[in-house]
Amino acid sequence: MTTYLDGRVKTLYKKAGKWEVLTDYDAFVTDSEEVIDLAFVDGKGQMFVTAERKDEMRTRALYRFDPEKKQKESEPVFAVKGFDFNGQPLFDGDDRRLLGVSYVSDAAGVVWFEPVMKAMQEEIDRQLPGTNNLIGCTKCVQAKHVVVAAYSDRQPLVYFLFDVAAKSFL
């Protein structure tokens, strides 16, 4: 949970029935390395946060966060070159396992962490070159079919149904 009170931003985490402060920073200081915002928690309880990268661009990236140590990992899970991370988690519908993240930079995109989904995306992109291809599914890893939204600056949005086993569009 994140709160904003008296010019302070605090992220709290409920552990063993008690709220613990994970981060606490000045709400009006937005360019500090201490600004860490909770992004989401996966089905295993792993926390993910957004925080500023320590590079020349100083853009925000997605990191794993250890609530016991109250610190983020040193390297991001995902970063978009030249852009702040602006995205959403893509969970498996059964166990809320993190499969990947969707993001927006100069265009919408997806990065898959799950090898099955990464391979599926590569096959779809191979068959639909020149378009931005977004996979829609709930139980993605076990799915027999997925919906693919394809579009570009020259192609209006069109939907396809992809047969996972046959690796072809219906």
Side-chain angles (χ1 to χ4, degrees):
M1 173 174 61
T2 302
T3 65
Y4 302 89
L5 183 64
D6 297 328
R8 304 293 301 168
V9 177
K10 292 182 182 181
T11 300
L12 301 134
Y13 174 62
K14 197 169 190 177
K15 180 180 173 186
K18 181 182 173 195
W19 289 101
E20 290 186 22
V21 176
L22 295 177
T23 62
D24 181 357
Y25 60 87
D26 185 332
F28 302 104
V29 177
T30 59
D31 62 349
S32 169
E33 291 180 19
E34 71 180 28
V35 176
I36 296 175
D37 294 316
L38 181 63
F40 56 88
V41 179
D42 73 7
K44 295 178 183 176
Q46 173 66 63
M47 289 184 179
F48 291 83
V49 298
T50 59
E52 189 174 280
R53 295 177 62 196
K54 295 180 183 177
D55 63 5
E56 69 280 355
M57 304 276 307
R58 297 182 65 95
T59 55
R60 295 180 69 75
L62 183 67
Y63 292 86
R64 282 187 181 85
F65 186 85
D66 184 335
E68 299 300 321
K69 295 178 183 175
K70 297 184 180 182
Q71 68 183 29
K72 65 179 178 60
E73 289 183 348
S74 59
E75 293 299 315
V77 172
F78 180 67
V80 184
K81 186 175 175 134
F83 293 88
D84 286 332
F85 174 75
N86 176 13
Q88 298 295 320
L90 299 170
F91 294 120
D92 184 69
D94 285 334
D95 59 7
R96 283 189 47 89
R97 177 173 33 126
L98 181 65
L99 303 177
V101 291
S102 63
Y103 64 91
V104 178
S105 57
D106 56 342
V110 172
V111 60
W112 295 105
F113 306 131
E114 170 63 42
V116 170
M117 295 307 299
K118 185 175 183 178
M120 187 188 309
Q121 183 75 57
E122 288 169 356
E123 179 61 28
I124 289 168
D125 290 345
R126 186 187 69 73
Q127 292 186 36
L128 295 175
T131 55
N132 193 7
N133 305 308
L134 304 176
I135 298 171
C137 51
T138 303
K139 296 180 181 181
C140 299
V141 176
Q142 304 90 352
K144 293 180 181 179
H145 300 94
V146 296
V147 174
V148 177
Y151 68 94
S152 74
D153 59 341
R154 296 176 182 212
Q155 168 65 50
L157 178 65
V158 61
Y159 293 96
F160 296 99
L161 190 60
F162 184 76
D163 183 315
V164 176
K167 296 184 179 179
S168 63
F169 290 97
L170 301 177

